Amino acid sequence: MQRIGVFVCHCGTNIAATVDVKAVAEALSHEPGVVVSQDYQYMCSESGQELVKNAIKEHGLTGVVICSCSPRMHENTFRKAAASAGLNPYLVEIANIREQCSWIHKNIASATDKAVILGKAAVAKVHLNAPLTAGESPVVKRALVIGGGIAGIQTALDIAEAGFDVDIVEKEPTIGGKMAQIDKTFPTLDCAACILTPKMVEASQNERITIHSFSEVSDVKGFVGNFTVTIKKKARYVDETKCTGCGLCTEKCPMKKVPNEFNMGLDNRTAVYIPFAQAVPKVATIDPNYCMMLKNGKCGVCSKVCSVGAIDYKQTDRFIEQKYGAIVVATGFNPIKLDKYDEFAYSCCPDVVTSLELERLMNAAGPNGGTLLRPSDKTHPHTIVFVQCVGSRCDDEKGKPYCSKICCMYTAKHAMLIREKYPDTEVYVFYIDVRTPGKNFDEFYRRAVEQYNVHYIKGMVGKVTPKADGKIDVQASDLLSNEQLHINADMVVLAAAIEPDKTARPLATMLTTQMDTNDFFTEAHPKLRPVESATAGIFLSGACQGPKDIPETVAQASAAAAKAIGLLCKNSITCNPCVAHSDELMCNGCSACEKVCPYGAITYQDKEFRMPDRSTAIRRVASVNPAVCQGCGACTVACPSGAMDLNGFSNSQIMAEVDAICK
Amino acid sequence: MQEAMIKRAKELLADGTVNRVMGWKKGEFAYDTTPAVFETAEEIDRDFIYNDFTQANQSKYLIKESRKEGKILALLKPCDTYSFNQLVKEHRIIRENVYVIGIPGGPKIDIEKIKAKGITGITNVKNEDYTLKIETIYGVETMPFYEAVSVKCESCKSKKHVVYDELIGEGGDILDSNRFDMVEKLENMTSQERYDFWRGELSRCIRCNACRNVCPACTCENCVFDNPKSGIDQKAAADSFEENMFHIIRAFHVAGRCTDCGECSRVCPQNIPLHLLNRKFIKDINCLYGEYQAGADTTSKAPLTDYRTDDCEPSVVHERGAE
Amino acid sequence: MLKISASNLNALFDRIAEKQTLYIPVDREPNVSEYKKYESGMTMSKALNTVRSAKDFFFPQTENLAEFKVSGKTIEVKDIRKENEDFVVFGVRACDARSFGILDKVFLSEPVDSFYKNRREHGTIVTMACTRPAETCFCTTFGIDPTVPGGDVSVFFDGENYFFLDNTPKGEAFVASVSDMLEDGDASKLAEVQENTRNIMKKLPLSGLSTDSFGGERLMEHFNSDKWAELSESCFGCGTCTFVCPTCQCYDIRDFDTGNGIKRFRCWDSCMYSDFTKMAHGNSRNSQLERFRQRFMHKLVYFPANNNGEFGCVGCGRCLSKCPISMNIVKVMKALEDK
Amino acid sequence: MQVNENFEPVIVAFCCNWCSYAGADLSGTNRLNYPANVKIIRVPCSCRVNPMFILRAFQRGADGVIICGCHPGDCHYTSGNYFTRRRITLLYSMLDFLGIERNRTRLEWVSAAEGAKFAAVMNQFVEDVKKLGPNRRLEDLRCRKQ
């Protein structure tokens, strides 16, 4: 038999002025199960709480209803009070008779009636409340960072700095990402390599950081605090532990005609290669698509020249399994492919390049040693046209609907650098808008226009046509002067939109995190939780969440690190006990609940059951991981059999409230 | 057709591909057929039947049958394949344990439609070039075949088998059916007219649960209406509310999962057009969230476990024409 | 014999309905009939039988038994029984008329079901002899003569006139109350009509069905029969057969919380349901085979065992036409007797 | 239609904890009036509202049921209200199909900042239901108050 205590708060006159609190207490005292019903001046005060605690002890209460202000105000207060008196805190219900009653109604009679009904609903609900215990789930004190660009590196360094082990998984042979390919950075024009490579070295030398380069995440199981991740270490045919990075193999390799991806295919590398001089780890990798030894067993030069015997043609993909408490996604971005943009002649004219290609063309470690030359004939270009928003802010399906954010600034940078180094070169920039929000950004852009005389033209480039004389005709419109232009250019640079890396979507599936239609990871809250995914324990770093420049990326990387550290600091996580649970005997195994769960908290397993007809059967049933479930209840409605229910807001509790209100 | 099915079923039994055959068994009269599992060629020769009256959708039996030892042969009409697929999608049928032969479907005949003509004492029904020759103890009667076509076949949605291991006879296409006509007609009525219509229909409900128990989408281990813990369990409609409640919730629970096989209306002893409730949901889903056919595949996201950020608001209901 | 011409039948109905509630079978759709409260102008159905049986008149699908008024912590029990008003059911067939006798054995034996008794006492059954039986009919198997339908008053139709024969004092009173509308008539043609119907009955496909193999003596043999597995294999466990059956009498008693009190009501239950006779320990019959067997064993074995050999089936054929999978008592009987 | 001035409808409002319940609190904090007919039931998310609850409310004597949740895109649980929107749209459409008056049901998005909207929505809803009069088409006669 339930023994319920009802406590009606006056809240000074806040409630008592419009609600006859004594009448409410009196009316509720007649409800079934109610053994004590009292009113008090300030229930949340020390002495008010004492009243509740004493009643719990004195009457051996099995449930408490507080008629007071919103549960958003003091639910916790009263739960704690109940707990301190030995009553499970989840046996407390609040009837909101202030914000939702006394403050909005003027008529004392109707406000009192309503307060009584709200009280009855709370009593009806508390009858069905079950004592709940917040579960604890241990936290593995190790983090995984997926992606080794500047975002991943920064996150890993910050987490390691806080004293936790962290692994970086990078799919390329070296960490560094896109920033390693960039020449200079805006708006300070400092050298990207000069600021990035020390970080790369720092990461490699940090004892707490393990770098799995040339590796991919192949499976993720588990949940916040306790993920089990399988990492595929792709065969690089070189023993990482032996290779000293001397580079002799790369010099001797006879297969020298492999397009060099680091230089955007603008020059070649060998089949065994180290992507760039400052690569971390500085270890050679054999490209099986080109290595003659791997392809037809004839060559073996690298193996012969390697003094440490690091070459291993028989290496295969290896899989390692590791447990992590937190996962940070830092999969970054890529410029979109431009092969569909025939109007810009990208596919047919080597002198039409993307901005990232231009970075390499201008880089001292690039194909031309830092001298800007046309790819086609290695001559110095005198007229360069930049085209903005290629594939950004696009309505059609070729491009992306969003602004890629970084193009305006890097184009200003490119224009400025070219004008600085080659004052004889005319630079035109065709833009839709110039977007320069950011510290010192607009000043930077104005310098390009005012100091460096870059020709900014608001307008669209209609067509780029390579001409027989090697020049390029750029046909464009100037929207401000409303005229058609033809520019006889030597080079055209396209500011290609950026998009999330292709590996992001399968990864999101593995992580059960959400993505938007553009494949950017969705943050848990766009304003308040921008570096967390909605899936507990998965954090977002860098451009995988949306287009970002370097400082923003680094800021977010550190923020994601801070969130991950906050999780790793805990020995265990206290779970919200108001979570869904499945009645296995009723579950059909249909997967409807799993499909609506935003957290991936529901998994299925085949279990053996003794059936009502005394047979045994293997049945597929859902189980909810209470550490991952956030308690929204979407599954409870998706479930047709009613096997899914929600602690604290069960079907029967809500229906009891409905009944009490309607009767 | 029956001969071809028997021949193939016996072959598959003989070569060990399957150890059981799900089919229809002859009954007492020319028109009553019972879904049955055959284990031997002799049983098949003796009792197997496939004719104008083999209407029953056999997919639901395969939930149980696919969990037994060995593989079973299922002979599925086009409409049955949708139900089958949907059950595979919901992990209710274990696909590997079923060998599916797609067989031609209807139109099937509903004996009730013949009896509704006042024809009784029926001893045999023959389809002679789409004229039914009905032999009775009171003499021979005839009626056009199409007048006896069952409700579920009248608005056939598809002649296409969406899943099969092999076909007997030819495969068909998805049809341009008129199945939403009646729903539309009701939608165009006033609220009061619709209310009166449904009261008239649903008040006949005797809560025999035939609609639920035959429904291939209603496969809950324990239906909410049988489960005292659900808070809405009921054994009989003690009030008109409960008649409405049962059918609304049942339709809602199968919304996005109902393949429109029409079994609910076929089995209703009170001839309540229950399929109209399901079709209303199907029509709404098609109009509001894009064409969706439950059971057409095993991978697509069901409309109620999916969403688009630009879905319409429920106010579309309130803004739809006059009440 | 007293008679009324077919053309005056509705006038008779109007007269009956003046004094008490009259129910007659009317067509809902062509040849699909149901009992309706008579209102002037309604035409009696020509269909052989109603979709639902006539048992509802005495044993309705749901029926309130008691009420509990709850206010605060107090509960007050309210006896809601009240004397029923008189009513007449017209046009009941022989099979359904027999079913009341079977229901009586259940509800009127000690302890007497006062709700049932009350209705039974106030209801007058006017039956109608069959002339055009259907292929699903097998009442003769249970010794019923559809041409002599029983009830309080039997009515016979010779094609022109309806003839009335009272069988009980209640029937006598009923005939007396409308005798001014009836006239003496020549019933000579009736015997011919009856003979004709009996001959048709012999030609029906199920005419050879016999109960010889059934009854209490062969309880264990039938209970342990290996046929049940095959027979019950495709049963969905719906309640159609039980709910259209004129003799199925199982019910459940439930409490409904109205918010202001409790209404205790009974409603039909079906032994085919998985939650039938569910008790604290669970169910007594956990597989569909057991539940299926229960229904037919009850009708063919247990009931006669306890009721001097009377079977719990009247051969109305409703389950034959309404079972979604066409499994029925005839198939069960044929399978079990085939030894 | 004749409006019965004395008719005081029972209105059940399901409010999600994070937006609409907070919005209701805000309208209280700002002392924005709405009729006492409205009684709020707190649910974690609008997607917790089972069609069973809505029917139950009508069965037990509610004259109107309104569901309030976070605006689409703002769900605390990211996607809950999108599911709500589909489910409730279909349910309301079905109720309409069965001839239940449309204006007895409503779904509104009310954020935690929209105290004024909450009050306005409730005022409007109560007025609409008052115009309809008592729920007769979807009530359980056994539950009618004596």
Side-chain angles (χ1 to χ4, degrees):
Chain A
M1 188 62 194
Q2 293 274 12
R3 302 177 60 77
I4 293 162
V6 176
F7 303 91
V8 185
C9 181
H10 298 205
C11 198
T13 55
N14 276 303
I15 294 171
T18 2
V19 170
D20 182 345
V21 284
K22 295 224 180 287
V24 173
E26 155 65 17
L28 295 178
S29 71
H30 299 299
E31 282 298 287
V34 174
V35 292
V36 52
S37 185
Q38 295 176 308
D39 61 289
Y40 189 71
Q41 204 72 37
Y42 287 105
M43 213 48 99
C44 62
S45 69
E46 202 63 39
S47 46
Q49 291 185 48
E50 276 309 309
L51 191 78
V52 177
K53 289 187 211 170
N54 288 338
I56 291 172
K57 290 179 198 152
E58 193 184 320
H59 297 277
L61 297 184
T62 59
V64 166
V65 169
I66 314 273
C67 302
S68 64
C69 55
S70 172
R72 299 168 58 83
M73 293 288 289
H74 278 306
E75 189 171 52
N76 257 336
T77 312
F78 293 113
R79 279 183 174 168
K80 278 185 189 154
S84 73
L87 183 72
N88 183 290
Y90 293 92
L91 298 175
V92 176
E93 283 297 327
I94 310 286
N96 183 345
I97 61 164
R98 191 180 75 174
E99 282 86 344
Q100 294 177 7
C101 188
S102 70
W103 279 354
I104 41 170
H105 307 313
K106 292 192 177 114
N107 180 303
I108 293 179
S110 63
T112 305
D113 282 349
K114 176 169 169 179
V116 170
I117 290 171
L118 294 177
K120 283 181 177 174
V123 171
K125 185 180 182 194
V126 88
H127 263 282
L128 300 164
N129 278 23
L132 302 176
T133 314
E136 302 250 309
S137 165
V139 176
V140 176
K141 303 217 169 254
R142 190 181 190 96
L144 170 67
V145 176
I146 304 170
I150 181 60
I153 293 169
Q154 184 63 46
T155 303
L157 283 171
D158 286 348
I159 294 173
E161 197 63 31
F164 297 102
D165 290 333
V166 51
D167 295 356
I168 299 175
V169 170
E170 168 57 54
K171 68 178 190 304
E172 301 297 334
T174 173
I175 60 169
K178 292 288 170 299
M179 188 173 170
Q181 291 174 282
I182 294 170
D183 186 34
K184 299 277 193 309
T185 59
F186 60 79
T188 47
L189 297 181
D190 43 355
C191 151
C194 309
I195 53 177
L196 173 68
T197 50
K199 289 241 173 214
M200 291 162 63
V201 173
E202 207 184 325
S204 74
Q205 288 176 349
N206 193 311
E207 286 180 353
R208 293 206 171 273
I209 299 179
T210 308
I211 298 171
H212 297 290
S213 63
F214 210 53
S215 299
E216 284 166 17
V217 171
S218 66
D219 189 34
V220 180
K221 285 201 174 72
F223 51 90
V224 55
N226 198 2
F227 295 104
T228 305
V229 179
T230 309
I231 298 165
K232 173 171 142 187
K233 296 195 71 119
K234 294 181 280 188
R236 70 200 305 166
Y237 307 101
V238 174
D239 187 335
E240 276 179 69
T241 56
K242 290 182 185 161
C243 176
T244 60
C246 71
L248 194 58
C249 55
T250 66
E251 281 169 37
K252 301 292 181 194
C253 176
M255 181 64 219
K256 296 190 192 300
K257 292 276 186 203
V258 185
N260 183 355
E261 12 338 56
F262 186 72
N263 281 336
M264 305 304 291
L266 294 164
D267 65 352
N268 291 325
R269 61 164 170 82
T270 47
V272 55
Y273 67 109
I274 296 172
F276 57 97
Q278 300 93 336
V280 169
K282 193 158 183 199
V283 174
T285 305
I286 298 179
D287 187 335
N289 296 320
Y290 293 95
C291 172
M292 290 185 289
M293 187 66 189
L294 288 172
K295 281 175 78 177
N296 43 34
K298 285 178 195 150
C299 182
V301 171
C302 50
S303 175
K304 284 178 204 130
V305 301
C306 181
S307 56
V308 292
I311 306 292
D312 176 6
Y313 298 120
K314 297 217 165 62
Q315 209 176 59
T316 52
D317 293 349
R318 283 186 301 131
F319 292 88
I320 55 172
E321 203 178 89
Q322 183 65 260
K323 281 191 172 291
Y324 299 99
I327 297 177
V328 183
V329 183
T331 46
F333 71 95
N334 278 306
I336 63 167
K337 293 256 180 300
L338 294 180
D339 29 355
K340 284 181 192 147
Y341 286 84
D342 292 339
E343 64 267 40
F344 297 132
Y346 176 78
S347 303
C348 64
C349 177
D351 297 327
V352 178
V353 297
T354 66
S355 300
L356 193 55
E357 287 163 0
L358 184 70
E359 293 280 353
R360 297 315 301 158
L361 287 171
M362 291 169 66
N363 189 287
N368 302 328
T371 313
L372 178 59
L373 299 173
R374 303 207 319 161
S376 60
D377 55 8
K378 304 286 178 198
T379 59
H380 172 60
H382 293 280
T383 306
I384 302 182
V385 172
F386 285 86
V387 185
Q388 296 301 89
C389 292
V390 178
S392 296
R393 306 168 71 192
C394 245
D395 295 330
D396 60 36
E397 58 200 32
K398 278 198 297 190
K400 305 289 176 184
Y402 51 85
C403 165
S404 295
K405 198 170 184 180
I406 55 175
C407 326
C408 287
M409 290 307 293
Y410 69 58
T411 298
K413 173 190 79 178
H414 290 151
M416 208 185 283
L417 287 170
I418 290 167
R419 290 282 298 157
E420 167 96 18
K421 215 167 167 186
Y422 312 103
D424 62 332
T425 306
E426 288 300 319
V427 176
Y428 297 88
V429 178
F430 285 93
Y431 66 94
I432 307 175
D433 301 292
V434 176
R435 296 183 166 180
T436 58
K439 190 174 170 185
N440 293 329
F441 282 15
D442 204 58
E443 296 90 319
F444 184 79
Y445 153 68
R446 286 212 307 271
R447 255 165 66 209
V449 178
E450 290 160 13
Q451 198 176 327
Y452 289 92
N453 292 318
V454 178
H455 308 297
Y456 268 82
I457 301 168
K458 185 175 176 74
M460 300 291 294
V461 171
K463 194 156 178 59
V464 174
T465 321
K467 296 197 291 190
D469 62 356
K471 290 272 190 178
I472 304 166
D473 176 52
V474 179
Q475 181 195 335
S477 54
D478 181 335
L479 290 176
L480 295 181
S481 61
N482 199 15
E483 56 186 351
Q484 288 291 315
L485 302 175
H486 280 276
I487 293 171
N488 205 19
D490 297 306
M491 271 184 86
V492 174
V493 184
L494 306 175
I498 61 174
E499 64 179 358
D501 194 82
K502 293 282 178 244
T503 57
R505 184 154 280 276
L507 184 65
T509 311
M510 281 191 263
L511 295 170
T512 66
T513 49
Q514 295 178 320
M515 287 193 135
D516 62 22
T517 48
N518 297 311
D519 281 8
F520 286 114
F521 283 87
T522 307
E523 57 281 10
H525 191 282
K527 281 97 189 169
L528 302 176
R529 296 171 69 194
V531 296
E532 295 157 76
S533 80
T535 305
I538 312 277
F539 305 97
L540 308 175
S541 173
C544 68
Q545 179 263 346
K548 279 180 192 62
D549 62 17
I550 294 167
E552 267 191 296
T553 297
V554 172
Q556 205 200 12
S558 290
K563 286 285 173 191
I565 294 163
L567 169 60
L568 296 175
C569 278
K570 297 177 186 161
N571 290 325
S572 61
I573 325 162
T574 309
C575 313
N576 165 22
C578 293
V579 292
H581 58 90
S582 154
D583 182 337
E584 291 179 340
L585 283 175
M586 285 201 284
C587 175
N588 306 325
C590 72
S591 282
C593 54
E594 181 196 22
K595 296 207 173 82
V596 299
C597 179
Y599 307 103
I602 300 169
T603 50
Y604 281 85
Q605 53 213 133
D606 288 327
K607 275 194 174 179
E608 194 174 285
F609 285 88
R610 204 173 127 83
M611 302 303 284
D613 64 359
R614 297 176 283 271
S615 62
T616 51
I618 308 284
R619 291 175 49 228
R620 182 176 191 272
V621 290
S623 64
V624 180
N625 187 327
V628 184
C629 175
Q630 304 289 310
C632 66
C635 54
T636 61
V637 184
C639 177
S641 72
M644 274 289 173
D645 210 346
L646 189 64
N647 286 339
F649 295 95
S650 69
N651 287 337
S652 55
Q653 284 175 308
I654 295 175
M655 285 198 276
E657 286 181 273
V658 169
D659 291 357
I661 286 173
C662 294
K663 76 178 175 191
Chain B
M1 190 46 59
Q2 181 179 318
E3 281 63 49
M5 285 161 62
I6 289 176
K7 179 166 171 284
R8 191 66 189 124
K10 289 200 288 192
E11 279 168 16
L12 289 165
L13 267 182
D15 70 14
T17 308
V18 298
N19 64 3
R20 286 158 298 142
V21 176
M22 179 96 221
W24 294 264
K25 196 174 175 174
K26 276 183 202 134
E28 284 301 316
F29 311 114
Y31 55 79
D32 70 323
T33 61
T34 301
V37 176
F38 301 87
E39 286 179 3
T40 62
E42 295 71 54
E43 283 173 26
I44 293 176
D45 280 331
R46 190 175 67 228
D47 289 330
F48 187 97
I49 191 162
Y50 187 76
N51 60 16
D52 287 337
F53 295 102
T54 46
Q55 283 195 75
N57 181 347
Q58 304 203 325
S59 306
K60 195 173 184 175
Y61 291 110
L62 296 165
I63 297 171
K64 183 174 70 180
E65 291 297 331
S66 73
R67 283 155 206 272
K68 291 183 181 166
E69 192 72 28
K71 215 166 175 172
I72 186 164
L73 169 63
L75 299 153
L76 301 181
K77 305 188 292 288
C79 48
D80 301 351
T81 61
Y82 286 84
S83 309
F84 179 87
N85 235 9
Q86 181 66 21
L87 287 165
V88 169
K89 184 174 180 177
E90 292 174 10
H91 308 277
R92 303 295 283 154
I93 288 177
I94 300 169
R95 176 70 180 90
E96 306 83 87
N97 292 342
V98 186
Y99 189 87
V100 178
I101 295 187
I103 55 170
K108 299 287 179 190
I109 301 177
D110 184 356
I111 190 68
E112 296 291 327
K113 286 200 169 180
I114 296 176
K115 291 183 179 176
K117 298 271 179 193
I119 300 172
T120 187
I122 299 165
T123 53
N124 203 2
V125 181
K126 286 184 196 151
N127 176 5
E128 286 178 357
D129 202 18
Y130 293 95
T131 297
L132 293 179
K133 201 171 143 200
I134 304 139
E135 294 164 14
T136 81
I137 49 174
Y138 303 106
V140 178
E141 308 259 6
T142 56
M143 69 184 278
F145 179 88
Y146 71 88
E147 285 183 16
V149 167
S150 72
V151 172
K152 70 184 229 170
C153 294
E154 271 175 349
S155 49
C156 179
K157 63 181 178 294
S158 175
K159 294 271 183 202
K160 182 183 164 188
H161 296 86
V162 289
V163 56
Y164 57 84
D165 295 308
E166 63 178 81
L167 282 180
I168 291 183
E170 297 204 346
D173 294 319
I174 293 168
L175 305 180
D176 199 11
S177 92
N178 56 351
R179 60 184 173 137
F180 298 120
D181 288 2
M182 186 59 194
V183 174
E184 211 163 297
K185 195 176 151 196
L186 283 162
E187 284 171 347
N188 291 331
M189 291 180 178
T190 66
S191 175
Q192 182 69 49
E193 285 167 344
R194 278 197 299 271
Y195 177 74
D196 294 340
F197 172 84
W198 282 111
R199 255 333 29 248
E201 296 294 339
L202 295 178
S203 63
R204 295 204 303 275
C205 175
I206 55 170
R207 266 311 292 286
C208 63
N209 289 318
C211 52
R212 179 191 74 183
N213 289 18
V214 79
C215 175
C218 273
T219 66
C220 284
E221 296 281 329
N222 192 350
C223 175
V224 288
F225 288 104
D226 288 349
N227 180 3
K229 276 195 263 177
S230 74
I232 59 162
D233 65 314
Q234 30 164 285
K235 218 160 216 169
D239 187 273
S240 64
F241 172 84
E242 288 191 332
E243 286 158 2
N244 290 336
M245 168 89 158
F246 176 76
H247 293 290
I248 296 171
I249 293 291
R250 205 184 84 74
F252 188 82
H253 279 179
V254 301
R257 303 167 54 230
C258 165
T259 64
D260 199 6
C261 75
E263 287 284 271
C264 45
S265 293
R266 174 179 76 84
V267 302
C268 180
Q270 293 282 69
N271 296 352
I272 304 172
L274 294 165
H275 63 286
L276 293 179
L277 296 176
N278 301 320
R279 281 195 185 156
K280 168 64 179 166
F281 273 136
I282 295 170
K283 183 168 179 282
D284 276 351
I285 286 168
N286 285 349
C287 294
L288 302 175
Y289 309 124
E291 291 282 325
Y292 181 83
Q293 173 59 53
D297 63 74
T298 55
T299 48
S300 61
K301 274 196 131 183
L304 276 173
T305 58
D306 196 13
Y307 62 85
R308 284 173 52 110
T309 52
D310 58 351
D311 278 338
C312 62
E313 297 293 331
S315 52
V316 294
V317 177
H318 298 87
E319 287 152 9
R320 246 188 330 225
E323 269 202 57
Chain C
M1 216 186 281
L2 289 173
K3 67 156 195 182
I4 193 165
S5 71
S7 56
N8 281 336
L9 188 63
N10 267 49
L12 177 69
F13 289 160
D14 286 330
R15 161 60 86 71
I16 301 168
E18 273 170 24
K19 294 202 181 118
Q20 44 189 329
T21 312
L22 168 67
Y23 298 93
I24 62 164
V26 292
D27 277 353
R28 181 171 77 209
E29 299 160 41
N31 292 294
V32 177
S33 70
E34 62 188 353
Y35 286 106
K36 279 258 161 125
K37 188 173 163 183
Y38 177 79
E39 281 164 28
S40 198
M42 278 182 174
T43 322
M44 188 164 73
S45 169
K46 292 197 167 50
L48 176 66
N49 217 339
T50 50
V51 175
R52 297 172 71 175
S53 81
K55 74 176 171 188
D56 299 44
F57 292 110
F58 306 109
F59 174 46
Q61 186 161 17
T62 62
E63 171 169 41
N64 285 333
L65 303 179
E67 279 179 29
F68 306 90
K69 184 136 182 63
V70 183
S71 53
K73 291 168 188 165
T74 59
I75 296 181
E76 182 197 335
V77 184
K78 284 164 89 178
D79 187 349
I80 54 165
R81 279 177 293 186
K82 57 175 192 294
E83 200 63 17
N84 266 292
E85 286 173 4
D86 287 343
F87 64 95
V88 176
V89 188
F90 198 100
V92 176
R93 296 293 181 182
C95 45
D96 282 5
R98 169 70 72 85
S99 78
F100 303 137
I102 293 171
L103 295 177
D104 288 349
K105 288 199 162 61
V106 178
F107 291 113
L108 297 183
S109 57
E110 285 299 327
V112 171
D113 185 305
S114 54
F115 293 88
Y116 179 85
K117 184 164 174 267
N118 189 349
R119 286 201 165 83
R120 201 76 174 89
E121 280 166 357
H122 288 276
T124 304
I125 306 294
V126 182
T127 60
M128 179 71 71
C130 297
T131 53
R132 203 175 156 81
E135 72 278 11
T136 51
C137 291
F138 57 108
C139 56
T140 48
T141 301
F142 300 100
I144 297 168
D145 182 350
T147 63
V148 185
D152 296 310
V153 180
S154 302
V155 178
F156 309 88
F157 186 51
D158 70 356
E160 290 167 13
N161 295 301
Y162 290 93
F163 293 85
F164 290 75
L165 179 68
D166 54 81
N167 304 320
T168 64
K170 209 196 275 174
E172 198 181 328
F174 169 78
V175 174
S177 73
V178 294
S179 57
D180 57 325
M181 295 189 71
L182 307 176
E183 53 188 341
D184 256 328
D186 171 16
S188 58
K189 244 176 91 186
L190 276 183
E192 191 190 323
V193 171
Q194 282 177 315
E195 191 49 36
N196 186 29
T197 309
R198 288 194 190 106
N199 284 334
I200 294 171
M201 288 309 289
K202 283 182 202 141
K203 283 194 280 178
L204 289 179
L206 303 179
S207 60
L209 194 65
S210 147
T211 56
D212 292 352
S213 313
F214 302 95
E217 314 78 58
R218 297 178 65 179
L219 194 150
M220 289 320 290
E221 181 197 329
H222 287 318
F223 188 87
N224 291 323
S225 167
D226 56 6
K227 305 276 184 180
W228 294 113
E230 197 189 327
L231 288 166
S232 66
E233 167 178 73
S234 32
C235 175
F236 278 118
C238 74
T240 307
C241 51
T242 30
F243 288 2
V244 296
C245 179
T247 67
C248 272
Q249 73 287 110
C250 292
Y251 59 82
D252 193 7
I253 294 182
R254 305 200 143 207
D255 285 352
F256 176 77
D257 180 1
T258 66
N260 309 301
I262 308 288
K263 282 194 195 305
R264 175 161 295 172
F265 68 103
R266 73 164 156 209
C267 60
W268 293 354
D269 204 344
S270 170
C271 54
M272 292 293 202
Y273 286 171
S274 57
D275 58 350
F276 182 69
T277 61
K278 189 171 183 177
M279 291 165 275
H281 85 285
N283 286 24
S284 39
R285 286 175 285 274
N286 282 303
S287 66
Q288 197 56 37
L289 184 153
E290 292 163 285
R291 298 190 278 265
F292 182 93
R293 179 174 60 193
Q294 167 65 20
R295 179 161 193 274
F296 297 104
M297 286 294 283
H298 189 212
K299 296 216 179 303
L300 297 171
V301 179
Y302 308 148
F303 198 84
N306 295 326
N307 294 283
N308 305 323
E310 178 156 10
F311 288 93
C313 175
V314 294
C316 70
R318 286 188 177 90
C319 55
L320 274 68
S321 42
K322 289 301 173 189
C323 175
I325 55 141
S326 301
M327 180 45 68
N328 52 55
I329 193 163
V330 170
K331 289 183 183 178
V332 169
M333 286 169 79
K334 289 194 172 178
L336 290 181
E337 70 185 359
D338 227 4
K339 290 262 165 188
Chain D
M1 195 186 288
Q2 186 77 36
V3 180
N4 180 355
E5 287 302 326
N6 298 323
F7 168 55
E8 288 299 340
V10 176
I11 307 284
V12 178
F14 292 97
C15 291
C16 87
N17 182 48
W18 305 95
C19 290
S20 308
Y21 194 88
D25 278 355
L26 183 64
S27 68
T29 311
N30 293 341
R31 309 297 198 273
L32 301 168
N33 294 61
Y34 57 85
N37 308 65
V38 178
K39 317 283 192 301
I40 296 172
I41 292 177
R42 184 165 66 127
V43 286
C45 175
S46 58
C47 72
R48 177 67 188 92
V49 179
N50 196 312
M52 281 178 352
F53 305 159
I54 298 168
L55 296 183
R56 177 79 159 211
F58 284 123
Q59 177 184 27
R60 299 295 161 138
D63 301 296
V65 175
I66 180 165
I67 298 167
C68 300
C70 309
H71 284 268
D74 292 346
C75 176
H76 178 80
Y77 304 100
T78 63
S79 53
N81 53 3
Y82 289 128
F83 292 120
T84 309
R85 189 162 58 178
R86 283 201 171 187
R87 291 167 183 167
I88 300 302
T89 303
L90 290 180
L91 178 76
Y92 286 178
S93 179
M94 178 54 80
L95 293 180
D96 178 47
F97 189 61
L98 290 170
I100 313 303
E101 304 92 333
R102 293 169 189 172
N103 285 343
R104 293 200 189 279
T105 53
R106 191 158 301 171
L107 178 112
E108 287 285 345
W109 311 122
V110 180
S111 82
E114 294 175 324
K117 179 176 178 185
F118 187 87
V121 162
M122 292 305 157
N123 279 313
Q124 182 63 48
F125 188 55
V126 172
E127 195 180 307
D128 289 349
V129 175
K130 273 191 176 177
K131 274 185 209 152
L132 290 174
N135 162 35
R136 290 286 174 256
R137 293 184 187 173
L138 202 54
E139 75 164 340
D140 192 322
L141 281 172
R142 296 170 298 176
C143 301
R144 197 186 274 192
K145 288 171 206 76
Q146 280 93 18

